[in-house]
Every structure is written in C-alpha cells, then in structure tokens.
Amino acid sequence: MSEATRPQIGLLEGLMTNRAMRRFTDEPVDEEDIWTCLKAAVQAPSGGNIQPYQFLIVQDPDTKLALAELYRRGWARYEIAIAPTGFPDDAAREGWERNNRATVHLAQNLEHVPVLVLLLMPSIDMTVHDDEGPMPVGPTHASVYPAIQNFMLAARSLGLGTAMTTLHRIYEDEVREVCGIPDRYEVLALLPLGHPTGKWGVAPRHRPAERITSWDRFGEKRTP
Ligand SMILES: Cc1cc2nc3c(=O)[nH]c(=O)nc-3n(C[C@H](O)[C@H](O)[C@H](O)COP(=O)(O)O)c2cc1C
C-alpha cells in the first residue's frame, strides 16, 4: 500500500491496539515496508548504544518450511507441558481457547506466512567490572527486546501483523543450522510478518496498570 493511501494512526493508538497476530493472508509484504520496520527497530534504545543484535529476514519457501517444522516440533512438546488443568470461570476458559486456536493456527501454517524475521543476539556478557567487582546493569537481552518491540510497532503502523514467538528456541541448534547462523548467536525471537486477517483492538489484560503500580512506596495504590 502506498504512503498516500495507507490509513494513518497515532503512536498511542498503534501500541494500544497492537495485539499478537497469528493469521495472515497470502499477500506479499513490500520490501520497502520491511526496511521501514528494520529502520524503526534500530532506533530503539540499547545499553551503551551498542545494538547487540542482527536480523535475518526469511522469505525463501524451503527455509520457511524447515523453520516451521522445527517450530511445530517445539510446539507439540510445549502444548502438552502447559496444558491447563482448569479455569476459574467460563470467560477465562474462552479467552484461553481463543488464544490457543490462534496459536495452533500459527504453528500449523508458519511456512505460509510471507516473512519470518529472526532476531539474533550474540552471546556476550555486557556486565562491566571494576576493582569492587561486577556491575550487573542488565542482561544483553534487555538491549534487544526494545528493538523487537519497535519492529512490531512499526509493522502495526504499516497495517502489518506480527507476534513475538520463541518456540523455535526449543530446537535452536537446528534453527541455526537451517539458516547458517554462527553458533555465537542466540536466535532470540521469530516474528511472523504479514497482512493479518484479524482485527486490531485493545487486548484483554488480567493485570491492569493500577493493580501493579505503586506510588512513592511499595503497596501504595492509586486509581486512574
Ligand atoms: C517472550 C515471549 C515469547 C512468546 N512466544 C510465543 C510463541 O512461541 N508462540 C506464540 O504464538 N506466541 C508467543 N508469544 C506471544 C504471546 O502469547 C502474546 O504476546 C500474549 O499472549 C499477548 O497477546 P495479545 O497482545 O494478543 O493479548 C510470546 C510472547 C513473548 C513476550
């Protein structure tokens, strides 16, 4: 879609309505749009501005299929391990079932998603040391997730859907082999990217901001 015909949305509206999209049409993604997302991603903050990440954009059908098979292998184990034994009420059960249907759909159709974006993080330790010892200012991951979120928000602004996924990590060695990724990189996230079939909207959250926010002293609550 050209810049002129694309509906414009504000930043806050975009991030409030950006939910995990797991169903996509066959419509290809413009390479220009992928670049826009990549450029937005690298504008995210990172410790010392070192940007400890790389992207791998997968569009080749055979590579997507190989990744989808590994993702499905991981999912098959994971879904058994996390299967809920009960729900507090019908609404909770319905919410879980809706989310699960979409998750299963993605696992079963990952190779058909137009683009799979891999986020690679070098296995480095960003902890700085001095004479007093280590200064643990945060794990390297903390300098990668903001870039992932920026990528996903930029996609939202372009009308493209994404979902943060990590199930491929269960078979990360094989993922590296499929894509020729050197051992020194973790494959931190896999983002399916495409034109979503679902609608954007504010997703339900069972822990609203006021419940998990204290003011001045831990436990002191306010209502918005
Ligand atoms: C660290 C992380 C790992 C995730 N892994 C997966 C995954 O492997 N597969 C998947 O379908 N969704 C995955 N998700 C997506 C979450 O299920 C989703 O963000 C959450 O349910 C909220 O979705 P909503 O914004 O649509 O409500 C992951 C999210 C995060 C932050």
Side-chain angles (χ1 to χ4, degrees):
M1 196 182 284
S2 81
E3 201 56 47
T5 53
R6 179 177 284 141
Q8 298 290 314
I9 58 162
L11 184 59
L12 191 59
E13 185 195 348
L15 68 87
M16 285 300 289
T17 58
N18 199 22
R19 52 189 314 174
M21 289 296 188
R22 300 189 177 92
R23 294 185 176 91
F24 302 93
T25 70
D26 296 337
E27 188 182 342
V29 175
D30 287 346
E31 189 165 318
E32 193 187 333
D33 285 350
I34 299 175
W35 282 117
T36 300
C37 295
L38 291 167
K39 287 174 184 172
V42 302
Q43 290 309 121
S46 65
N49 202 16
I50 71 164
Q51 298 181 252
Y53 49 77
Q54 293 210 23
F55 304 90
L56 202 156
I57 309 297
V58 181
Q59 294 170 299
D60 171 62
D62 293 339
T63 311
K64 285 196 298 180
L65 179 59
L67 290 174
E69 283 168 351
L70 291 169
Y71 185 96
R72 278 193 281 276
R73 264 172 68 195
W75 168 245
R77 282 175 55 196
Y78 195 77
E79 78 168 333
I80 292 169
I82 60 152
T85 49
F87 297 97
D89 51 44
D90 283 354
R93 182 177 47 75
E94 280 161 25
W96 184 87
E97 285 175 356
R98 199 172 35 249
N99 192 59
N100 192 245
R101 277 194 298 276
T103 304
V104 170
H105 177 90
L106 179 66
Q108 288 174 344
N109 292 279
L110 196 64
E111 65 269 43
H112 304 304
V113 179
V115 185
L116 303 181
V117 181
L118 300 184
L119 263 294
L120 314 180
M121 183 188 81
S123 309
I124 54 170
D125 184 357
M126 288 175 67
T127 308
V128 174
H129 297 76
D130 69 2
D131 293 344
E132 289 181 49
M135 291 177 272
V137 289
T140 311
H141 298 73
S143 288
V144 185
Y145 287 124
I148 297 175
Q149 181 70 0
N150 263 23
F151 188 103
M152 299 196 339
L153 289 175
R156 168 71 184 96
S157 81
L158 299 170
L160 296 169
T162 55
M164 167 97 183
T165 84
T166 52
L167 281 167
H168 64 284
R169 300 200 63 173
I170 298 169
Y171 294 105
E172 195 175 37
D173 286 343
E174 290 88 338
V175 167
R176 271 193 288 263
E177 202 176 314
V178 163
C179 297
I181 299 166
D183 283 351
R184 66 180 181 280
Y185 290 100
E186 281 183 41
V187 187
L188 209 57
L190 183 161
L191 309 179
L193 176 70
H195 296 269
T197 61
K199 289 203 175 6
W200 309 107
V202 179
R205 292 290 181 260
H206 65 277
R207 303 178 78 206
E210 64 272 21
R211 211 176 108 196
I212 53 173
T213 305
S214 300
W215 298 76
D216 292 327
R217 196 172 171 77
F218 189 82
E220 297 287 338
K221 303 289 185 189
R222 285 188 192 173
T223 44

